[in-house]
Amino acid sequence: MNALTEAAFSPARQREVVDALRAVLPAGSVLFDAEDTRPYECDGLAAFRQLPMVVALPASEDQVVAALKVCRDLKVPIVPRGAGTGLSGGAMPIAEGVVLSTAKLSRILKMDPYSRTAIVQPGVRNLAISEAANVHKLYYAPDPSSQIACTIGGNVAENSGGVHCLKYGLTVHNVLKIRMVTIEGEVVELGGEALDAPGLDLLAAFIGSEGMLGVVTEVTVRLIPKPQQARVIMASFDDVVKGGNAVANIIAAGIIPAGLEMMDKTSSRMVEPFVHAGYDTDAEAILLCESDGLPDEVDEEIERMTEVFRASGATAIAVSTNEAERLKFWSGRKNAFPAAGRISPDYYCMDGTIPRKNLARVLLAIAEMEKKYGLRCANVFHAGDGNLHPLILFDANTPGEFHRAEQFGAEILEFCVEMGGTITGEHGVGMEKINSMCVQFSRAELDAFLALKSAFDPLSLLNPDKAIPTLRRCAEYGRMHVRAGKLPFADLPRF
Amino acid sequence: MNALTEAAFSPARQREVVDALRAVLPAGSVLFDAEDTRPYECDGLAAFRQLPMVVALPASEDQVVAALKVCRDLKVPIVPRGAGTGLSGGAMPIAEGVVLSTAKLSRILKMDPYSRTAIVQPGVRNLAISEAANVHKLYYAPDPSSQIACTIGGNVAENSGGVHCLKYGLTVHNVLKIRMVTIEGEVVELGGEALDAPGLDLLAAFIGSEGMLGVVTEVTVRLIPKPQQARVIMASFDDVVKGGNAVANIIAAGIIPAGLEMMDKTSSRMVEPFVHAGYDTDAEAILLCESDGLPDEVDEEIERMTEVFRASGATAIAVSTNEAERLKFWSGRKNAFPAAGRISPDYYCMDGTIPRKNLARVLLAIAEMEKKYGLRCANVFHAGDGNLHPLILFDANTPGEFHRAEQFGAEILEFCVEMGGTITGEHGVGMEKINSMCVQFSRAELDAFLALKSAFDPLSLLNPDKAIPTLRRCAEYGRMHVRAGKLPFADLPRF
């Protein structure tokens, strides 16, 4: 635990920053008493906490510009924050820094059913966009499981996905344009409504940059028609290898399901007693595979999917026949994280990717790691796009368990890299996985990231020490690992 | 005309660069005699020519690294070049520079039907990828009209599209990963096969960067299943406004056609005598609208499209009933550029985008400009994505005509920006539209582009003076424009 909740700044410095921000922001928009700043001490990765020196709550783009100029002039680091639902500590405060919350920038500025776009401020909740578009039978596709709370600004920062991203893409595939404010206080628009835009495509580089390049003030999102129908197949397998191969076979058959999820036996047994979704708790793996679109298309696709599962050795297959049943099938998957909280005092949700063909191999490797670390792990996968969410179960009150869980998680991620995958699928790097970046990328690649970062933010005031490790950090991490005698990594480091 | 075909470098400098390159490249890979370098003096924008000092033809990634290190050490500018089919002068040589051709990097390294990807060297022709994938019933979707000749490296540099990009996207949507060599000679991989990748998304920034950030050595492309069926509708309209609205109505109906093209009367009358595609030469506008997919889906979509066209006031509608008829309908559109060459000594193909709803307005404005400049213009639009290709017809042998054509083109682009569009849809900025970039972007936006450029290439050796204008250039362009008394631009400049 890294519970540095005590003040780590001088009162004079705090006073200086507060006064300067108060001069440009309305009353009540600058928080600094510990009782007011406490809610900002962590994001969804709650094991890591840090009370910020100051919290600023601008309510307009002009106020964002003014607040950033103050911070730049005083050289105080800024951590931008959406709803704080992130799972990699990207919004964890800095002791001597300002948290800039976009909570008050919460208006939907334009809803255009004709061009199928909406322009929203960053503090608008993900689900609120779809709710507002519903009258036009449109919706915003990316659906992180936190969508009721998380905001589009945070989604842009983390390039968030969801169970439907296999077919409909991540945030980067559904955002057409952003307005953002640089650390210099300049307003810049990136992207546009046309398919291509002249100039360098910095929109994609900004999306997923975890608040390190600027603060977003407007997001133009793409809306898509709500599918007329959706049906889901639930297929059981008596063997994780068969389940993993079934996923690969679906994709190889030319089908892009609206969602293709996998749960192992630990997960379904964890969920079923609480949710009663009808899961086959004897199966080693369950797949949920959805089709959406026009009714005829859906029926035909469901038939093709069913054939593939049968040929892949499914031991049982059920297909939802109405919307209530579809939601019931999904309810187990959607409640996997809360269910983990009910059987274990704590859980650590990992997020890595692998090539689909290695799904079974990773499951077998994780089973070995469970023995090594003496901790259970429930596996919930966005299987269709090879994105894993192993939930490592532990008890933070048992000395050493959190540390073991952390090591377990790091080993899973390094195994993902070894399999040709990556250390994050949709939760971002944040502070949590910054060391793993040293394993993922070469020195030249990190140099390229750092060059872009310093082009936008030469003093490194925007969310410093997140997402992209410095070369010094990687060198230290490499030494530490070698000392610990972990051979796999000793082979891997590219520094 | 800018026909600087004379040598503009000192023989000693040429000797120095040739010797250094010969030391690292195989025999025959370094060209410097004017008769050998002549084929490289221009790309598809043949009105602009410049003989390069040296042409280098590396045949492996190692040789690209070595050649770039030589150029960096000698501070000689490099213009990377694919097949030279670009239409914006992106590959036009620099008098004192090296053209680095990727022609010898022409191997398909891997074809993986399982993951539906191919890894190819940059000199592989666009169409050759689909030809090689055909045995697996897969293909590479972006189809620029030059696809028989243009290479994937050039497609990456220009973010090329094609008639099917409305449904299947541009190069950036179909490339998963690239390997590239920086001006420092470092090999960097950008992107990956997973849906998301940790770190900053520099892949999208690289695609379309027109050779200014590095030289690509490997491209991993996404392959997609060949549609089982495709059918096309040809609809006639007696009024461009109705035709333009029909396009908007198709999209508003929730249909994403595989292609949606518009030709005005000048275009269809230009093409029909040569191609006999069966075009209605009395119509003010013709739309070609394609559906592809499974046979039942296609039939249903064709029916819906037909209804929309009827409701939009189409005066005639024909639907292809077999593949031969489909290809015949398309033959007119595909031969529009060659047909222009048959009725006019020269033509200047423009490339801008506008919001779809303004299609008719732009056509009417172009008709006014035809009178103003005394030149004819045939309009061929990728209407579905609002991408215009006006073909300005002129005779380069008539004094002043090329200059008028250039001014005509610039006015079209500035009108596109005024309508909320952009100065390039798929042909890139190159040297042709570098001044228009000053109209398109704010100073802060150009600053962001230049910052990224200089992060990768601090000495500006990679394709300098292309794609992104310096602030000095924009200031000069602004003054020149004001002197010429062109009011629309005097309002527009953001410098």
Side-chain angles (χ1 to χ4, degrees):
Chain A
M1 295 285 155
N2 182 11
L4 297 173
T5 50
E6 293 315 301
F9 46 82
S10 82
R13 173 66 164 168
Q14 186 186 45
R15 173 59 42 205
E16 181 188 22
V17 173
V18 167
D19 286 350
L21 285 170
R22 277 183 164 172
V24 298
L25 297 179
S29 304
V30 183
L31 313 178
F32 54 95
D33 278 343
E35 65 193 83
D36 293 333
T37 59
R38 183 80 59 200
Y40 299 88
E41 69 178 351
C42 68
D43 61 12
L45 186 68
F48 297 89
R49 291 165 194 270
Q50 174 61 58
L51 209 59
M53 181 171 72
V54 178
V55 175
L57 292 148
S60 69
E61 184 177 271
D62 287 347
Q63 291 177 21
V64 172
V65 168
L68 286 176
K69 282 183 174 168
V70 162
C71 292
R72 186 206 50 194
D73 290 348
L74 297 178
K75 298 199 173 42
V76 57
I78 302 119
V79 177
R81 179 188 171 99
T85 54
L87 292 169
S88 59
M92 199 184 83
I94 288 166
E96 301 186 347
V98 169
V99 165
L100 191 152
S101 164
T102 55
K104 288 189 177 179
L105 292 156
S106 59
R107 283 186 306 133
I108 294 178
L109 301 175
K110 191 178 169 191
M111 180 68 61
D112 183 353
Y114 191 73
S115 70
R116 289 203 195 144
T117 55
I119 305 180
V120 302
Q121 289 187 315
V124 172
R125 289 178 306 108
N126 173 297
L127 194 60
I129 302 173
S130 293
E131 284 166 354
N134 192 40
V135 62
H136 306 296
K137 298 198 176 126
L138 299 172
Y139 77 113
Y140 175 66
D143 55 348
S145 56
S146 58
Q147 70 176 144
I148 197 168
C150 67
T151 59
I152 189 74
N155 292 175
V156 165
E158 302 295 330
N159 191 20
S160 307
V163 296
H164 291 91
C165 67
L166 175 61
K167 181 166 176 181
Y168 296 106
L170 300 166
T171 305
V172 70
H173 307 106
N174 291 279
V175 165
L176 298 169
K177 185 173 164 182
I178 57 166
R179 273 174 78 90
M180 65 91 146
V181 184
T182 68
I183 189 67
E184 306 293 328
E186 298 263 24
V187 176
V188 172
E189 294 194 349
L190 303 177
E193 295 194 25
L195 199 53
D196 188 28
L200 295 170
D201 184 350
L202 294 175
L203 179 64
F206 189 90
I207 295 175
S209 67
E210 308 197 14
M212 299 201 356
L213 303 182
V215 176
V216 63
T217 54
E218 273 182 36
V219 185
T220 304
V221 299
R222 184 201 312 277
L223 303 172
I224 59 174
K226 291 178 71 171
Q228 287 184 19
Q229 194 170 64
R231 295 177 71 194
V232 65
I233 300 174
M234 181 163 63
S236 307
F237 293 86
D238 58 10
D239 173 2
V240 292
V241 176
K242 286 184 198 161
N245 290 341
V247 171
N249 293 340
I250 283 280
I251 305 297
I255 304 168
I256 302 292
L260 178 45
E261 301 282 312
M262 184 167 175
M263 294 172 73
D264 67 0
K265 197 196 245 178
T266 308
S267 301
S268 47
R269 290 196 168 179
M270 177 173 85
V271 162
E272 187 58 23
F274 296 112
V275 179
H276 307 294
Y279 286 2
D280 177 354
T281 51
D282 290 328
E284 288 298 325
I286 288 176
L287 294 181
L288 291 169
C289 186
E290 183 154 293
S291 173
D292 69 9
L294 299 172
D296 285 357
E297 276 172 26
V298 171
D299 291 347
E300 192 195 319
E301 198 168 69
I302 287 283
E303 209 172 293
R304 292 176 63 213
M305 290 167 166
T306 305
E307 275 165 34
V308 173
F309 286 145
R310 216 164 264 143
S312 307
T315 50
I317 293 178
V319 183
S320 70
T321 53
N322 55 50
E323 189 61 9
E325 204 169 21
R326 185 179 79 87
L327 295 175
K328 186 180 150 204
F329 284 7
W330 276 113
S331 65
R333 166 63 186 88
K334 297 234 170 186
N335 288 291
F337 292 15
R342 297 173 86 164
I343 65 160
S344 171
D346 299 284
Y347 66 92
Y348 188 22
C349 172
M350 302 309 300
D351 168 50
T353 72
I354 48 157
R356 272 184 295 269
K357 63 181 175 204
N358 293 328
L359 276 171
R361 228 176 126 184
V362 171
L363 277 169
L364 299 174
I366 290 176
E368 285 304 307
M369 293 181 212
E370 288 185 272
K371 291 179 207 152
K372 174 172 169 188
Y373 292 101
L375 294 172
R376 282 177 305 159
C377 183
N379 291 295
V380 178
F381 292 177
H382 298 313
D385 48 313
N387 184 192
L388 322 180
H389 290 321
L391 300 173
I392 301 171
L393 309 178
F394 70 99
D395 181 354
N397 289 324
T398 304
E401 279 216 355
F402 176 64
H403 185 59
R404 286 216 306 282
E406 271 194 306
Q407 286 184 313
F408 189 165
E411 188 167 339
I412 292 175
L413 296 184
E414 286 171 19
F415 190 77
C416 288
V417 174
E418 219 176 307
M419 293 288 98
T422 69
I423 59 164
T424 170
E426 56 180 12
H427 294 173
V429 173
M431 56 150 297
E432 178 199 24
K433 282 183 277 196
I434 193 159
N435 288 332
S436 302
M437 290 287 282
C438 310
V439 183
Q440 179 86 60
F441 291 106
S442 74
R443 180 178 195 124
E445 286 155 351
L446 290 174
D447 274 346
F449 296 153
L450 291 168
L452 178 64
K453 164 67 173 167
S454 91
F456 274 85
D457 180 21
L459 301 176
S460 198
L461 294 175
L462 285 164
N463 217 6
D465 300 322
K466 305 273 175 72
I468 306 173
T470 58
L471 302 184
R472 196 167 63 91
R473 175 186 276 276
C474 284
E476 277 169 15
Y477 183 61
R479 275 197 299 278
M480 199 173 68
H481 246 68
V482 172
R483 267 208 307 277
K486 287 178 69 176
L487 282 177
F489 188 75
D491 291 339
L492 275 176
R494 294 157 79 182
F495 286 86
Chain B
M1 296 286 155
N2 182 12
L4 296 174
T5 49
E6 292 315 301
F9 46 82
S10 80
R13 173 66 166 169
Q14 187 187 42
R15 172 59 42 203
E16 181 189 20
V17 173
V18 167
D19 287 349
L21 285 171
R22 277 183 163 173
V24 297
L25 296 180
S29 305
V30 183
L31 313 178
F32 55 94
D33 277 345
E35 66 193 81
D36 294 332
T37 59
R38 183 81 59 201
Y40 299 88
E41 70 178 352
C42 69
D43 62 11
L45 186 68
F48 297 89
R49 292 165 193 269
Q50 174 61 58
L51 209 59
M53 180 172 72
V54 177
V55 175
L57 291 148
S60 68
E61 185 177 91
D62 287 347
Q63 290 177 21
V64 172
V65 168
L68 286 176
K69 283 183 175 169
V70 161
C71 291
R72 185 206 52 194
D73 290 347
L74 296 178
K75 297 201 173 42
V76 57
I78 302 117
V79 177
R81 179 187 171 101
T85 54
L87 292 168
S88 59
M92 200 185 83
I94 289 165
E96 301 186 347
V98 170
V99 166
L100 190 152
S101 164
T102 55
K104 289 189 177 178
L105 292 156
S106 58
R107 283 186 306 133
I108 294 178
L109 302 175
K110 190 177 169 190
M111 180 68 62
D112 183 354
Y114 192 72
S115 70
R116 290 202 194 147
T117 55
I119 304 179
V120 302
Q121 289 188 316
V124 172
R125 289 176 307 107
N126 174 297
L127 194 59
I129 302 173
S130 294
E131 285 166 354
N134 192 41
V135 62
H136 307 295
K137 298 195 175 133
L138 299 172
Y139 77 113
Y140 174 67
D143 56 347
S145 55
S146 58
Q147 70 175 145
I148 197 169
C150 67
T151 59
I152 190 73
N155 292 176
V156 164
E158 301 296 330
N159 191 19
S160 308
V163 297
H164 291 92
C165 68
L166 175 61
K167 182 167 176 181
Y168 296 106
L170 301 165
T171 304
V172 71
H173 306 106
N174 290 277
V175 165
L176 299 169
K177 185 173 165 183
I178 56 167
R179 273 173 78 91
M180 65 90 147
V181 184
T182 69
I183 188 68
E184 305 295 328
E186 297 264 24
V187 176
V188 172
E189 294 194 348
L190 303 177
E193 295 194 24
L195 198 54
D196 188 27
L200 295 170
D201 184 351
L202 294 175
L203 178 65
F206 189 90
I207 295 175
S209 66
E210 307 196 16
M212 300 201 354
L213 303 183
V215 175
V216 63
T217 53
E218 273 182 35
V219 185
T220 303
V221 300
R222 185 200 312 277
L223 303 173
I224 59 174
K226 292 178 73 173
Q228 288 185 18
Q229 194 171 64
R231 296 177 70 193
V232 64
I233 300 174
M234 180 162 64
S236 306
F237 294 86
D238 58 9
D239 173 0
V240 291
V241 177
K242 284 184 199 161
N245 290 342
V247 171
N249 293 341
I250 283 280
I251 306 296
I255 304 167
I256 303 291
L260 178 46
E261 301 282 312
M262 184 168 176
M263 294 172 72
D264 68 359
K265 198 197 246 176
T266 308
S267 301
S268 47
R269 291 196 167 178
M270 178 173 84
V271 162
E272 188 57 23
F274 297 111
V275 179
H276 308 292
Y279 286 2
D280 176 354
T281 52
D282 290 327
E284 289 298 325
I286 287 176
L287 293 182
L288 290 169
C289 185
E290 183 154 293
S291 173
D292 68 10
L294 298 171
D296 285 357
E297 276 172 26
V298 171
D299 291 347
E300 194 196 318
E301 198 169 70
I302 287 282
E303 208 171 294
R304 291 175 64 212
M305 290 165 166
T306 306
E307 275 165 34
V308 173
F309 286 144
R310 216 164 265 144
S312 307
T315 52
I317 292 177
V319 183
S320 69
T321 52
N322 56 50
E323 189 61 10
E325 203 169 22
R326 186 180 78 88
L327 295 176
K328 187 179 150 206
F329 284 6
W330 276 113
S331 66
R333 167 63 186 88
K334 297 235 170 186
N335 287 292
F337 291 15
R342 297 174 85 163
I343 66 160
S344 172
D346 299 283
Y347 67 92
Y348 187 23
C349 172
M350 301 309 300
D351 169 49
T353 72
I354 48 158
R356 274 185 293 270
K357 62 181 177 204
N358 293 328
L359 276 171
R361 230 177 124 184
V362 171
L363 277 169
L364 299 173
I366 290 176
E368 285 304 306
M369 293 180 211
E370 287 186 271
K371 292 179 207 152
K372 174 173 169 188
Y373 293 101
L375 294 171
R376 283 177 305 159
C377 182
N379 291 295
V380 178
F381 292 177
H382 298 312
D385 48 311
N387 184 193
L388 321 179
H389 290 321
L391 300 174
I392 302 170
L393 310 178
F394 70 99
D395 181 353
N397 289 325
T398 304
E401 277 215 357
F402 176 64
H403 185 61
R404 287 217 306 283
E406 271 195 306
Q407 288 184 312
F408 190 165
E411 188 167 338
I412 292 174
L413 295 184
E414 287 171 18
F415 191 77
C416 287
V417 175
E418 217 177 308
M419 292 288 98
T422 69
I423 59 165
T424 170
E426 56 179 12
H427 295 172
V429 172
M431 56 149 298
E432 178 198 24
K433 282 183 277 196
I434 193 159
N435 288 331
S436 301
M437 288 287 281
C438 310
V439 183
Q440 179 85 62
F441 291 105
S442 74
R443 178 176 198 127
E445 285 155 354
L446 290 174
D447 275 346
F449 297 152
L450 292 169
L452 179 62
K453 163 69 172 165
S454 90
F456 274 85
D457 179 22
L459 301 176
S460 199
L461 295 175
L462 285 164
N463 218 5
D465 299 323
K466 306 273 175 71
I468 305 172
T470 58
L471 302 182
R472 196 167 64 91
R473 175 186 276 274
C474 284
E476 277 169 15
Y477 183 63
R479 275 196 301 277
M480 199 173 69
H481 246 69
V482 172
R483 268 208 307 280
K486 288 179 66 176
L487 283 177
F489 188 76
D491 291 340
L492 275 178
R494 295 158 79 182
F495 287 85

